[in-house]
Amino acid sequence: MLNTHLLSIVTFLPVLAVIVLAIIPGRQEKALKQFSIGFAIIHFLLSILLVTNFDSSVYKIQFEEIIPWFSTQFASVGYHIGLDGINLWIVMLTTFLGPIIFLSVYSSITKKVKSFLINMFLLEVGILGSLVALNTFLFYLFWEVMLIPMYFIIGVWGGERRIYAAVKFFIYTMAGSLLMLVAIIYMYLQTGTFELMDLYTHTFSGQEQVYLFAAFAIAFAIKVPIFPFHTWLPDAHTEAPTAGSVILAGVLLKLGTYGFIRFAMPLFPSAVKTFAPYVIVLGIIGIIYGALVAMVQKDVKKLVAYSSVSHLGYVMVGLFALTIYSVQGAMLQMINHGISTGALFLLVGIVYERTHTRLISEYGGIAKVMPVYAVLFMIFTLSSIGLPMTNGFIGEFLILMGTFKSAYPYAFWYAAFAAVGVILGAVYMLWMYQRVFFNIEPSEKNMKLKDANLRERIYLLPLLIMVFWIGLYPSFFLKRMDKSVEHYMKLIQPGTQLVVPDPTAAVDEGVQK
Amino acid sequence: MTNYIWLIPVLPLAGFLINGLFGSRMSNKVISWIGNLTIFASFVFALVLYIHMLNTPALSEEGIHNILFPWLNVGGFHVNFAFLFDRISGTMTLMVAGVGFLIHVYSVGYMAEEDGYFRYFAYLNLFMFAMLTLVLADNLLLMFVGWEGVGLCSYLLIGFYYTTKIASDAGKKAFLVNRIGDFGFLLAMFLLFYLFGTLQFPEMKEIILSHHIAPEMVTGMITVATMLLFVGAVGKSAQLPLYVWLPDAMAGPTPVSALIHAATMVTSGVYMIVRLNFLFQLTPNTLLLVAWVGGITALFAATIGTVQNDIKKVLAYSTVSQLGYMFLGLGVGAFVAGFFHIITHAFFKALLFLGSGSVIHAMHHAYHNAGVHDKDPQDIRNMGGLSKFMPVTYWTFLVATLAIAGFPLFSGFFSKDEILWKAFASGHKSLWAIGAVAALLTSFYMFRLIYVAFLGQFRGSEKEKEGLHESPRSMTVPLTILGVLAAVGGFIGIPHIFHMPNLLDKTLEPLIPAINPVHYLHNVSTEWTMMGISVAIAIAGWLIARSFYAGASRKAVDGLSRTFSYVHKLLLNKYYVDEIYFAIVVHPIKRIGDFLWYYVDVIFIDGAVNLTGMLATCCGRVITLFQNGSVKMYAFSMLTGILILFWIFIG
Amino acid sequence: MNVTVNMTALMPLIILFAGITLTALMGTMRPSVKRLAGLVGSIAVVLAFWWLMERVLPAIGTPALSSQYGMLTYSYYSVFLSSLVLVTAVAAFALSEHYLIAEDFSHPEFYAILLASITGMMVMLNTSNFVNIFIGLELLSIPLYSSVAYLRYKPESVEGGLKYFILGAIASGFLAYGIAMVYGATGSLDFITIAKAVKTDSLFRLGLLFVMMGLAFKAAAVPFHMWTPDAYEGAATPVTAFMSIAPKAVAIGVLIRILYSVFPQMVGYWREAVLVLSILTVLVGNLGAIVQQSVKRMLAYSSISHAGYLLMGIVAYSIEGVSGILFYLAGYMLINTGAFGVLSLLKKGDIDYVSYDDIRGIGYRHPLLGIFMSVFMFSLAGIPATVGFMGKFYVFKALIHANYVGLAMVGIAGSLISVYYYLRVVVNMYMKENPEENNFDLNFLSMTVLGICSVLVIAAGLFPAKIADIANVAARFMN
């Protein structure tokens, strides 16, 4: 009984929070915040049932729920949600970040608290909904609805250029998703269904696939974001309040990559093969470009934002390398990025609250006055640059290794260039770390900074645990993706395997070039 | 017992966790006990295991395999968290844990007055954990964990005095340059997995031994893979062209330099090649590259070492140079000799660094007592005659100098001589010549140190002189122990011509078999001759140094450096390599970043986005221009509409 | 000739006419009675609506309910549109009540005028004869001109009314001229007869051209839209709400009816013409809206653009397209009533606060109003979970189905542009601070209307099936 509705309950539970929050008077800020934290924790605990009841031995959709939603002469839409190895961990990441975000909000949001919390919960519904939706129409609905609370979060509680950033975010994303809408409608007209599972079985003609894939891909590419569709991201991240950045980096961007893996790629496998080299190259450009641009940022938050461009480049490369290693790596990297970058944004938020500046040049030597904070920052920095034993390494390693093993003619070079990001990642992160924490005795002003307090340590601790959990025992996570990814690999290469060229030739050629 | 190999690295990890988490609330004494005991326990355990292994026939060949838990398991890719304690890793473990323990003890005294004492010991323990993981790993991926782990600790420890820019710069530089090497390592792993379908050493070896791999792969792919691995080794073991981080790394506390940047971490590149000897032996081209890079580095660094005035810088370049020797040895196929040099080098170089630490410690105190703040306690030109004030330091330092210079019967003599002999015997005469010249320089710059720093007259004020004194027991005891090891450590690898048992050869033979043996010249008389030449070189170096620096002959040095002022300047500035790197790598990358951000991101892409918006607004303005409130205009617009419709319907 | 008079068919018009008479008479009575004019007018509209639902609807079979040789013809299609008009009217009356009181210019004649216009709409919708089309159009238009100019002490009101009148007169002239030509070509004014004529000669084509033009003017299609911003801005806001929905629904509805069932043989011509007009309308409407500084004027342009989407639906030339348009119109009625309704509340005395600057921070001072307005704006922008999205979805789907993917893309580009200016309203309401703390008097009646609208906007966005089914039936039975 519980299993049949569990996913719906998890998805829509935040609505209940919204209702309760609406009833609590806006003046009772403490009560509002405490309620949110408590509720988010309950929400997370409930969602753990999804993992414990998850059957990792099969690839099929679990916790599935299908009910007709509305049906008219010209369109019938079902409410169809479900969970498998592909979206399980992103759903979990979303609920996991919930309590952390609300804990961070405790001190960072001081005005219009009630509306903020309501928006946050609504955002969570939107995200969870689009993650579990197995119906293109339903997916599109959540996908778009999610924009609104995010738009408010950036626009109302953001920094100086918040309006510009919010509107840019909205229109940029909308531009892509409208194309996707056309594609969704087109597919419906061709097949008479919005059901994803039914669409999987339908083979579109080559020409159709190219256009449809392009429409989907642009929508997702903007969300990811893939170079050159990324310019909304630094603005949105920089201007958003900490909690907004965390959820944006943590989950929202993953919806783009998730869109690829759930929709764009398995629906149009032959177009994927056509486009894959281009996407991989764009991914690699993203990795290197993001890193180089991150390096020269003066604003620490912007730096982390550009690092996202770089990290998500890895995910894209991994997804399109189309090997089981790289796809699993990419999926794990999606989670990793949510944890590491989410944590970095939280950390930046902590110091921003104290100094009200994000300029790197305003810091320096603060490891001396904030030692615990410095250690935490260091660990997440290392996780971000993929040091072994941290989560980032596992993801990057699998992606790169899978890319190397992929059947593309230039696989060696794809992997090699993508791996340059490993060096560049260390360059910008450590340089930033050095300028923020080391180099000089802290200035007079910074001498008074207080170290991370108990609340801050509490909400960073779970993230810290995740960093090492995934880093040391990734099997726990990979095992639950295994079957679904295997099945996915079959979906994406129906019937025909990619022709594997002579391995020696591939590398020899690569080496000669 | 054999199932608890993991304790060897995990004990220091426990030390790190305790010290790291609670150290700020513990006394220095507790901290140092925890830090030292964990390492000591590891060492003892390793020793017991080692003896057990050698005495158990079932284990002595294959070593002890300890699988903890499956780590990564994706598709056909399996990697375990597993340790392999065999003759190679066991020997290395003993060296690492042993020297590591001594340096820990030494640190208790050396770091006693520093802030962040707990931080220091925590880092040091973490380093031991990473290093032992590197050594004991049974697969490349886990080795890479240690590989990057030691890099991280090196970063943390170099930057120990983080509020100074020099230290934090040096730490960052070390990490980044190492990452360039790791990049090669990473690619090599991909390639090897591609070839072998596994990254576990035993399995890889099995595949090679059973000839499951096609011969054409050997020439092509494995060569590429081993070269990429060597890139990793070049980064970690500070070879040309990636050696630049090591001299800067001297910004860290001196025991750190001794442990990480002399005895252990920097030799892990060499260790890795020894560990993978079954791969490297298949690839003569890679070996040749290894030999040449090693040889040239040995010479190159030695030349710089001759003119440096910072005591630690001299030792740093000396380390680079000695590491070059090791690679030279590996490159000519003398894996055991290379490995031998790792061990002897660990003894004498750790000793040299600790000795220099002792000196610096003393100089620091002297300046502190005299209230001098602007003098560099590491500059040998400020020292002189220290032997009178710190005899233990002097004598141990001298032993180490004799060892590194290759005076007969000291440890360095055996290992270095074996490398040079193997180079000569394998037919690489030019490599031998390079090595010989470098040996001459080594002897020269080491004795230069002895003469300038320890002998003659103290070149500071009387007040400073009063502050000079020998270091505390916790520092001198490790010095003494290392002194003994540096003196007699070489007897584990006595050349065969002495007709005495060569322990090291015997121990390692089963694991470093000659799959593709290098055909060495077997001529006992030549070997004796070459050994004689080695001795002559060592003595020549000493004599030259003596003629320049002993007694009142300092003027001669000035004269010499004036005559060769350009050469001197070039060497003093380390061939301007750092400047060149800055100009052709660091600076351009920053410029590119700036360019991409400003021109591509802000101006071009965002410009295009904003232009679209502006275009829409402009169109809007144009459209509303017609909306001027005049009915005539409105009627005119309707007329246009009718004309359009007219054109469609009638036209 | 035995003229049969079907009272069932005639009754709605009679009810409305009674309403006109009553409210007009009330102008002569005591102030306490005068105040009831809005109520009386509403009752008349509701009664008419009730009659449509309870009496007319059951009487419609597959052949439409017809009276006086088709002079009055009720089909499911026309009843659907008539209902939209009547519902809009009730909402507009409810919104007017307090607006006019605040203006201190509340006269019963106001309702009489509007009722007359509604009657005209009913005539125009429920007929299958060109004579009634023309009569209905005039009955619709002339009161509307005067209702725009109703606030006679405001120059912009008078100016708007006058412009509307002058240009509307030209348009009416063209329509009459077109009808004459069609008559000349076919010898009939009855839809069915004309449809049977199967003609394509140039006189006939010219006739269609002018008829189209007359209707396009009412629908505010570009380039016959120039009156719209001025008239919408000048009119009292509730009137604008009414004007932006009812006449548009009527014009588009009649246009579809005429094009689909009277001139199907000319589809090749008019499809292209509508296509051109729709593209122009969408682009001009949206681009023009970007640069406006007044929300009211922005909404005027926005209503132009929505006429464009509706015209796009016509191009699809399918039942699906028509049902999409009808759904769109139903949703649009809810949204626009709401959006203008919110504006009608931003008022102190006779001053309207409808510029972007005026609405700054409204979201916090009047939270409910802010939420309502946001719902309407997001819905106009076509964000899912609102009826605005579903409307666009149906229309674009019909277009893609008819292989007009390119046209759908133009529509999509248009809605993308529209996101910017609709968001601007939200931006101003929530993300900017207003130095002047403007607080407005929110009356219960209007807020109720807005509340119902916004709930329905979301409800119909999430569960569109009911409306879509009705729209589908209506689209199927046009004649």
Side-chain angles (χ1 to χ4, degrees), chain B residues 222-498:
Chain B
I222 295 187
T223 304
V224 175
T226 47
M227 280 186 179
L228 287 169
L229 281 172
F230 181 57
V231 171
V234 162
K236 191 106 305 184
S237 295
Q239 296 297 291
L240 272 174
L242 299 180
Y243 74 94
V244 287
W245 64 273
L246 187 59
D248 286 21
M250 298 302 128
T254 306
V256 169
S257 311
L259 177 62
I260 300 182
H261 306 121
T264 56
M265 181 187 93
V266 287
T267 59
S268 48
V270 185
Y271 172 77
M272 182 263 291
I273 292 178
V274 174
R275 176 91 268 186
L276 293 172
N277 65 77
F278 53 87
L279 273 185
F280 280 82
Q281 295 208 15
L282 297 177
T283 55
N285 289 339
T286 310
L287 284 180
L288 201 64
L289 180 75
V290 171
W292 276 100
V293 168
I296 293 172
T297 307
L299 182 63
F300 175 85
T303 55
I304 299 175
T306 55
V307 300
Q308 297 301 311
N309 292 318
D310 183 317
I311 186 168
K312 285 181 73 181
K313 281 274 160 70
V314 177
L315 295 178
Y317 281 103
S318 158
T319 306
V320 175
S321 171
Q322 295 300 313
L323 290 166
Y325 270 110
M326 297 175 204
F327 282 110
L328 174 59
L330 300 180
V332 298
F335 287 90
V336 179
F339 194 62
F340 186 21
H341 201 55
I342 291 183
I343 295 168
T344 57
H345 178 255
F347 295 152
F348 61 68
K349 188 52 67 64
L351 177 54
L352 286 171
F353 267 113
L354 295 186
S356 77
S358 178
V359 169
I360 295 163
H361 196 66
M363 291 298 287
H364 196 80
H365 269 270
Y367 290 146
H368 190 72
N369 279 2
V372 177
H373 297 295
D374 53 346
K375 272 178 142 178
D376 183 0
Q378 306 196 28
D379 193 328
I380 52 172
R381 289 169 299 188
N382 295 334
M383 303 174 186
L386 293 180
S387 59
K388 284 171 237 137
F389 305 100
M390 27 200 337
V392 181
T393 306
Y394 169 65
W395 285 108
T396 51
F397 203 92
L398 187 63
V399 167
T401 302
L402 294 172
I404 192 174
F407 273 62
L409 305 186
F410 286 92
S411 61
F413 168 74
F414 294 113
S415 55
K416 196 153 64 172
D417 181 59
E418 189 175 347
I419 289 172
L420 285 176
W421 160 241
K422 288 277 164 71
F424 186 84
S426 66
H428 295 102
K429 303 260 168 23
S430 43
L431 280 173
W432 172 83
I434 289 174
V437 175
L440 177 72
L441 292 170
T442 308
S443 177
F444 170 74
Y445 64 67
M446 284 315 299
F447 280 103
R448 171 173 174 262
L449 268 189
I450 294 281
Y451 282 113
V452 177
F454 287 96
L455 301 175
Q457 292 298 315
F458 183 63
R459 286 183 285 276
S461 65
E462 280 303 312
K463 207 165 180 202
E464 290 165 17
K465 206 168 169 179
E466 280 165 28
L468 290 172
H469 58 79
E470 184 57 279
S471 298
R473 284 286 288 277
S474 66
M475 287 163 71
T476 51
V477 170
L479 285 179
T480 319
I481 296 171
L482 280 171
V484 174
L485 287 171
V488 303
F491 287 95
I492 59 168
I494 299 176
H496 296 287
I497 48 171
F498 281 89

Side-chain angles (χ1 to χ4, degrees), chain C residues 42-120:
Chain C
S42 304
I43 288 170
V45 174
V46 169
L47 271 179
F49 181 69
W50 176 80
W51 188 273
L52 272 182
M53 293 294 119
E54 292 297 315
R55 292 281 185 273
V56 175
L57 214 49
I60 302 173
T62 346
L65 168 66
S66 188
S67 169
Q68 290 99 352
Y69 298 111
M71 291 303 249
L72 268 181
T73 309
Y74 289 92
S75 62
Y76 287 127
Y77 176 79
S78 69
V79 170
F80 184 92
L81 288 165
S82 306
S83 313
L84 282 189
V85 169
L86 294 177
V87 173
T88 314
V90 174
F93 284 177
L95 293 171
S96 305
E97 191 77 24
H98 283 266
Y99 187 90
L100 295 178
I101 291 170
E103 281 279 342
D104 202 16
F105 199 65
S106 181
H107 297 291
E109 289 83 351
F110 175 82
Y111 299 99
I113 295 168
L114 280 184
L115 279 172
S117 181
I118 293 161
T119 316

Side-chain angles (χ1 to χ4, degrees), chain C residues 436-456:
Chain C
E436 303 163 46
E437 292 275 309
N438 274 331
N439 281 306
F440 301 103
D441 176 31
L442 308 183
N443 64 75
F444 180 75
L445 183 61
S446 304
M447 287 304 275
T448 313
V449 172
L450 297 181
I452 292 170
C453 282
S454 49
V455 168
L456 285 179

Side-chain angles (χ1 to χ4, degrees), chain C residues 256-340:
Chain C
I256 292 173
R257 173 89 201 276
I258 291 175
L259 293 179
Y260 281 34
S261 63
V262 185
F263 298 102
Q265 70 276 30
M266 300 270 287
V267 62
Y269 290 99
W270 61 252
R271 214 176 188 181
E272 200 178 332
V274 175
L275 181 108
V276 171
L277 290 187
S278 70
I279 293 175
L280 281 175
T281 310
V282 164
L283 291 181
V284 169
N286 281 317
L287 291 169
I290 295 179
V291 293
Q292 301 308 318
Q293 292 309 317
S294 142
V295 180
K296 201 173 174 185
R297 220 175 150 80
M298 177 278 278
L299 282 175
Y301 275 98
S302 126
S303 79
I304 295 174
S305 74
H306 287 280
Y309 301 126
L310 292 166
L311 289 173
M312 284 184 172
I314 298 181
V315 178
Y317 191 45
S318 61
I319 300 282
E320 195 182 356
V322 177
S323 97
I325 292 172
L326 294 182
F327 184 92
Y328 196 113
L329 277 171
Y332 182 69
M333 174 197 81
L334 292 171
I335 312 165
N336 246 26
T337 307
F340 280 109

Side-chain angles (χ1 to χ4, degrees), chain A residues 245-265:
Chain A
S245 304
V246 173
I247 200 130
L248 190 59
V251 200
L252 231 58
L253 305 185
K254 305 313 162 334
L255 279 162
T257 47
Y258 171 74
F260 273 106
I261 193 170
R262 177 71 92 198
F263 295 91
M265 296 175 71

Side-chain angles (χ1 to χ4, degrees), chain C residues 33 35 99 116 128 136 140 151 165 185 212 226 247 265 272 314 330 339 359 395 408 428 434 445:
Chain C
V33 181
R35 241 187 286 136
Y99 187 90
S128 49
L140 177 167
L151 304 173
F165 169 62
M212 267 182 75
M226 301 292 267
Q265 70 276 30
E272 200 178 332
I314 298 181
I359 60 164
V395 169
N428 278 285
N434 191 358
L445 183 61

